[in-house]
């Protein structure tokens, strides 16, 4: 027990210090910089999880030609799992945890959220049926957007879509997003649309779009399409797939969105408890300067870090979220904790409220790539393991 | 904005905070700075660094409205705009005012705040989620004051969060969109929320935007 509590202090410091000298670790890469036995064992656990992944991380969303041997090997492993008469979901989760290769990501995500059935012979028919159902919902609900009761919400959705960076040059997709969000809201009256949900459609949209055309997301999160854009029937399929995926995701985190957003309040509280236990210095530093966790972490929870990390990294992050049990509702908390801890040293250097707040709401991540996400996930996994070993500790801490 | 809460107004709620702030700065100045802070231990240098810091970092929430210019040009622009001493960033603020924005979603709260803090109006902003924090130091009648701006989200669902910011505010900017009647009707609710949530009768400035 005692030892467990001590570990985090050392380990938190290590990656930061080692960072400039070492290449950021991919899962499955031996870490010469992390020397302590405990850390080694954590990474061993990860290596087991990801030993088939090869090199760690996916090939990202860039469609550049040369694939590494690892990527090819990983791709073929995915292909054989997907092509099997019945996909072995445990295997798929294990493999996808450390990153899904770009080419198979659309179908892998659909399998992981149980939208596509494990039985590969039924897959096409089931997806067709789901898409048909969605088309029926569009007919049923979308006409109601101009009714006085729904008009305000629909306008709100449109106003938020216009402001989305990713769609800035692709206004033709606004209607797709608007229909998805409006119909979801009509079917979930307890929650309805909350700002930030529009962001959560994006990863699905980008990934499912990549089934039909070459998609690129630049460093400012702007969407670039190369080649022929999808035709109307393809776009309808993408839209339906996005709807069902978003719906599955939001069902796992509905506590975040019903008034007064108790899921977020709880998670922000839990985040603080984790930081208190793992990096008490950081917590007291924040407290000393009157920084409250809600002031910066509310958005982390409401938008699932999508405003804090580049979109291409979010997609990689979601490979893991989809592979985890309760990825969005539970594992995300540990990712947030790892995210904050990662900037612990920088934050401790800020010596007033203003400096801290400006840094916290604008953490330097825009250069991030798969490697940083991989490290973040490894840290989060480690935290989760500690607290999962002693779930009462976190519970007690939260309720005390 | 200065008229929303000028130094002569009764904004005593914040003065103790400010004293503490100054006290802390003094203590920090007098203590032993960290090695890597030595170069920027002096307050003026530090302030300049922060300003530059803010502009150089590109963020998903503000990336496309970041003006590309140096810290020194910012000072010049400030003095043009508010007719203030050009050395404003060299002096310690005498007081700190906490100002909170309020108003329906998409009336232009974030754009308004950005115009004020960056001296250039953004062409696009993203939806504010929760609360964004901005800051600006300026001179009013030869007094240097610091303004902490809490830019809140307008959607009803975030209202409980916004309320907690009204509680500690010295003043509020209540903004509506003059092309959207609904947002003007909403002003009444906002005013009630502000009155109910704030500890004392704080000045509220009504702003017609767009």
């Amino acid at each position: 027990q005692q030892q467990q509590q001590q570990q985090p202090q050392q380990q938190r410091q290590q990656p930061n210090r080692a960072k400039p000298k070492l290449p950021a670790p991919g899962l499955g890469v031996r870490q010469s910089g992390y020397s302590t036995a405990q850390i080694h064992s954590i990474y061993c656990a990860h290596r087991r999880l990801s030993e088939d992944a090869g090199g760690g991380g996916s090939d990202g969303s860039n469609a550049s030609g040369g694939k590494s041997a690892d990527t090819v090997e990983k791709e073929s492993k995915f292909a054989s799992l997907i092509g099997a008469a019945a996909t072995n979901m445990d295997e798929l989760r294990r493999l996808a945890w450390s990153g899904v290769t770009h080419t198979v990501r659309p179908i892998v995500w659909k399998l992981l959220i149980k939208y596509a059935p494990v039985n590969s012979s039924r897959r096409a028919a089931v997806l067709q049926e789901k898409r048909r159902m969605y088309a029926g919902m569009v007919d049923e609900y979308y006409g109601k957007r101009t009714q006085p009761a729904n008009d305000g919400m629909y306008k709100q959705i449109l106003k938020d879509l216009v402001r989305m960076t990713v769609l800035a040059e692709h206004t033709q997709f606004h209607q797709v997003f608007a229909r998805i969000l409006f119909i979801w809201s009509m079917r979930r009256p307890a929650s309805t649309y909350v700002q930030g949900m529009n962001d959560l459609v994006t990863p699905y949209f980008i990934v499912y779009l990549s089934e039909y055309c070459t998609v690129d997301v630049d460093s400012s999160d702007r969407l670039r399409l190369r080649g022929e854009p999808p035709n109307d029937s393809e776009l309808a399929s993408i839209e339906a797939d996005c709807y069902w995926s978003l719906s599955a995701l939001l069902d796992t985190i509905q506590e975040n969105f019903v008034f007064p957003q108790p899921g977020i309040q709880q998670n922000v509280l839990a985040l603080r408890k984790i930081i208190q236990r793992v990096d008490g210095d950081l917590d007291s530093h924040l407290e000393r300067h009157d920084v409250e966790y809600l002031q910066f972490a509310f958005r982390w929870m409401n938008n699932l870090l999508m405003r804090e990390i580049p979109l291409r990294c979010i997609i990689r992050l979601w490979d893991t979220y989809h592979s985890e049990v309760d990825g969005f509702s539970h594992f995300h908390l540990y990712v947030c904790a790892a995210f904050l801890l990662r900037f612990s040293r920088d934050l401790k250097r800020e010596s007033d409220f203003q400096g801290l707040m400006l840094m916290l709401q604008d953490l330097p991540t825009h250069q991030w790539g798969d490697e940083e996400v991989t490290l973040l996930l490894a840290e989060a996994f480690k935290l989760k393991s500690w607290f999962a070993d002693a779930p009462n500790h976190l519970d007690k801490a939260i309720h005390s | 904005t200065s008229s929303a809460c000028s130094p002569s107004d009764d904004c005593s709620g914040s003065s103790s905070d400010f004293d503490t702030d100054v006290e802390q700065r003094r203590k920090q100045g007098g203590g032993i700075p960290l090695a890597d802070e030595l170069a920027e231990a002096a307050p003026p240098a530090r302030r300049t660094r922060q300003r530059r810091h803010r502009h150089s970092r590109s963020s998903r929430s503000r990336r496309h409205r970041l003006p590309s210019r140096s810290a020194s040009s910012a000072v010049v622009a400030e003095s043009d705009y508010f007719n203030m001493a050009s050395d404003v960033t060299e002096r310690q603020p005498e007081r700190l005012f906490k100002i909170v924005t309020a108003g329906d979603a998409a009336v232009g709260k974030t754009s308004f705040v950005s115009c004020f803090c960056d001296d250039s109006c953004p062409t696009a902003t993203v939806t504010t989620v929760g609360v964004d924090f901005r800051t600006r130091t300026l001179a009013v009648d030869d007094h240097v004051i610091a303004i902490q701006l809490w830019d809140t989200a307008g959607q009803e669902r975030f209202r409980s969060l916004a309320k907690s910011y009204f509680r500690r505010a010295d003043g509020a900017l209540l903004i509506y969109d003059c092309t959207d009647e609904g947002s003007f009707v909403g002003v009444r609710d906002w005013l009630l929320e502000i009155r109910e949530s704030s500890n004392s009768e704080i000045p509220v400035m009504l702003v017609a935007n767009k």
Side-chain angles (χ1 to χ4, degrees):
Chain A
Q1 288 274 329
Q2 193 73 25
Q3 203 186 1
Q4 268 198 353
Q5 288 180 19
Q6 307 257 321
Q7 284 175 19
Q9 290 286 351
Q10 307 161 3
Q11 295 187 4
R12 178 191 45 72
Q13 304 257 353
Q14 289 266 359
N16 277 342
R17 203 177 303 137
K19 183 73 189 150
K21 292 174 201 139
L22 289 171
L27 291 177
V29 178
R30 193 169 290 275
Q31 296 299 308
S32 55
Y34 304 99
S35 50
T36 68
Q38 301 103 319
I39 293 172
H40 191 72
S41 70
I42 296 294
Y43 279 89
C44 282
H46 273 283
R47 214 167 291 138
R48 265 203 315 282
L49 263 175
S50 59
E51 58 196 356
D52 300 328
S58 61
D59 59 349
S61 6
N62 59 40
S64 56
K67 288 176 183 170
S68 71
D70 285 344
T71 305
V72 172
E73 191 192 337
K74 196 171 181 182
E75 232 167 30
S76 77
K77 284 193 168 148
F78 273 118
S80 71
L81 276 171
I82 296 161
T87 299
N88 181 333
M89 288 304 288
D90 288 341
E91 278 290 307
L92 188 69
R93 268 190 217 100
R94 203 171 63 84
L95 192 57
W97 201 98
S98 55
V100 181
T101 45
H102 173 60
T103 46
V104 293
R105 189 175 271 137
I107 183 62
V108 170
W109 278 21
K110 287 172 196 174
L111 282 163
L112 290 172
I113 61 174
K114 301 191 176 78
Y115 172 49
V118 292
N119 184 331
S120 61
S121 62
R122 286 180 49 233
R123 209 165 282 157
V126 168
L127 291 183
Q128 278 316 314
E129 174 59 15
K130 286 280 192 179
R131 288 165 187 166
R132 205 187 51 73
M133 277 170 69
Y134 175 73
M137 286 188 240
V138 173
D139 291 342
E140 185 182 348
Y141 294 108
Y142 198 53
K144 298 182 179 175
R145 66 188 182 281
T146 49
Q147 291 176 356
N150 310 320
D151 177 57
M153 174 183 64
Y154 185 70
K155 280 189 179 151
Q156 181 64 64
I157 292 173
L158 290 182
K159 280 175 179 171
D160 291 344
L161 295 180
V162 169
R163 294 185 275 178
M164 284 176 74
T165 314
V166 67
L167 298 180
E169 282 149 36
H170 297 278
T171 50
Q172 73 270 29
F173 297 138
H174 283 169
Q175 282 304 317
V176 174
F177 274 59
R179 270 193 299 268
I180 292 170
L181 291 163
F182 180 75
I183 288 160
W184 184 86
S185 301
M186 290 299 284
R187 290 174 55 82
R188 295 289 193 289
S191 166
T192 78
Y193 174 72
V194 178
Q195 290 182 323
M197 284 179 184
N198 52 330
D199 283 347
L200 304 184
V201 183
T202 313
Y204 291 119
F205 185 74
I206 304 278
V207 168
Y208 297 158
L209 195 62
S210 73
E211 255 184 300
Y212 301 95
C213 58
T214 308
V215 178
D216 230 345
V217 178
D218 70 13
S219 57
S220 350
D221 282 2
R222 280 170 200 272
L223 172 65
R224 308 244 180 250
L225 294 186
R226 277 183 280 155
E228 279 289 297
N231 63 37
D232 286 351
S233 96
E234 289 168 343
L235 200 56
S237 299
I238 295 169
E239 182 178 327
D241 293 352
C242 286
Y243 171 82
W244 290 111
S245 303
L246 177 78
S247 195
L249 160 61
L250 291 178
D251 281 350
T252 69
I253 51 170
Q254 48 184 317
E255 290 287 287
N256 282 10
F257 296 116
V258 295
F259 186 82
Q261 306 189 269
I264 292 183
Q265 305 274 355
Q266 247 162 33
N267 271 339
V268 171
L269 210 60
L271 172 66
R272 177 164 194 197
K273 297 298 178 187
I274 293 172
I275 303 299
Q276 277 174 336
R277 286 178 58 89
V278 178
D279 188 351
D281 290 349
L282 176 62
D283 180 70
S284 15
H285 181 67
L286 294 176
E287 189 173 20
R288 190 161 52 246
H289 295 294
D290 295 324
V291 175
E292 292 166 24
Y293 284 67
L294 208 56
Q295 286 164 344
F296 61 90
F298 182 91
R299 191 171 71 195
W300 296 8
M301 303 298 173
N302 193 81
N303 287 38
L304 298 175
L305 287 177
M306 288 192 62
R307 294 278 179 91
E308 327 305 322
I309 301 177
L311 185 52
R312 54 180 192 276
C313 297
I314 289 289
I315 290 173
R316 166 64 192 88
L317 190 67
W318 283 25
D319 288 341
T320 304
Y321 280 12
H322 286 129
S323 313
E324 275 276 327
V325 182
D326 302 327
F328 293 93
S329 56
H330 188 65
F331 187 64
H332 177 68
L333 168 64
Y334 296 102
V335 172
C336 287
F339 186 63
L340 184 57
L341 292 172
R342 184 184 166 114
F343 297 101
S344 177
R345 252 159 58 95
D346 299 326
L347 290 165
K348 283 174 190 160
R349 250 183 249 133
E350 294 290 340
S351 58
D352 60 16
F353 175 82
Q354 176 173 319
L356 279 165
M357 274 310 291
L358 290 177
M359 175 167 226
L360 277 165
Q361 57 185 11
D362 198 5
L363 289 163
T365 61
H366 47 280
Q367 298 298 336
W368 274 29
D370 276 2
E371 288 170 346
E372 283 80 5
V373 177
T374 303
L375 181 59
L376 183 72
L377 286 166
E379 287 289 325
F381 182 82
K382 200 166 68 181
L383 289 170
K384 188 191 136 187
S385 311
W386 286 334
F387 286 96
D389 287 346
N392 288 339
H393 289 181
L394 187 57
D395 281 350
K396 271 184 204 149
I398 289 168
H399 296 299
S400 63
Chain B
T1 304
S2 58
S3 62
C5 193
S6 74
S8 56
D9 285 341
D10 179 20
C11 301
S12 51
S14 71
S15 61
S16 57
D17 287 3
F18 179 63
D19 291 344
T20 320
D21 195 33
V22 170
E23 188 69 13
Q24 275 174 359
R25 276 169 193 279
R26 280 201 191 109
K27 272 188 205 153
Q28 280 151 13
I32 302 164
L34 296 172
D36 49 0
E37 274 190 336
L38 274 172
E40 50 197 43
R46 167 139 185 85
R47 185 155 292 279
T48 315
R49 186 190 72 90
Q50 272 181 6
R51 181 171 282 276
R52 198 167 51 236
H53 210 52
R54 197 179 73 216
H55 287 286
S56 65
R57 265 193 248 142
S58 100
S59 94
R60 263 147 303 292
S61 59
R62 292 201 299 276
R63 167 179 298 132
H64 32 276
R65 56 191 150 91
L66 284 176
S68 53
R69 36 141 223 225
S70 68
S72 58
S73 70
V75 173
V76 174
E78 274 170 4
S79 50
D80 290 341
Y81 205 79
F82 287 96
N83 188 28
M84 58 183 154
S86 58
D87 65 346
V88 59
T89 54
E90 305 294 314
R91 286 157 58 187
Q92 278 294 342
E94 294 163 43
R95 289 193 60 172
L96 171 74
F97 293 97
K98 295 176 185 170
I99 311 293
V100 180
T101 65
D104 282 0
V107 296
K109 296 182 290 297
T110 302
S111 295
F112 190 89
V113 166
S114 296
C115 286
F116 177 66
C117 292
D118 298 339
D119 288 327
S120 80
C121 290
T123 51
T125 60
V126 291
T127 315
T128 307
V129 168
V131 175
D132 270 349
F133 172 80
R134 304 296 300 269
T135 164
R136 161 132 203 199
T137 306
L138 56 103
V140 178
D141 298 338
D142 209 34
H143 294 279
V144 178
I145 60 164
I147 292 187
Q148 273 186 4
L149 268 155
W150 292 96
D151 182 21
T152 65
Q155 206 193 8
E156 182 92 33
R157 197 63 51 92
F158 302 125
R159 202 63 64 88
S160 61
L161 187 69
K163 274 179 167 177
S164 66
Y165 291 90
F166 298 150
R167 218 173 355 260
R168 322 163 211 184
D170 298 312
L173 280 172
L174 176 47
I175 304 178
Y176 72 95
D177 172 359
C178 59
T179 67
D180 174 10
E181 187 186 345
S183 73
F184 185 63
V185 174
V187 161
R188 183 173 299 156
D189 282 343
W190 280 110
L191 212 48
L192 278 174
E193 296 272 14
I194 294 168
R195 295 277 181 247
E196 276 172 17
S197 312
S198 55
N199 286 329
S200 54
E201 187 86 341
I202 60 169
V204 178
M205 180 186 261
L206 184 63
V207 181
N209 196 30
K210 297 209 184 185

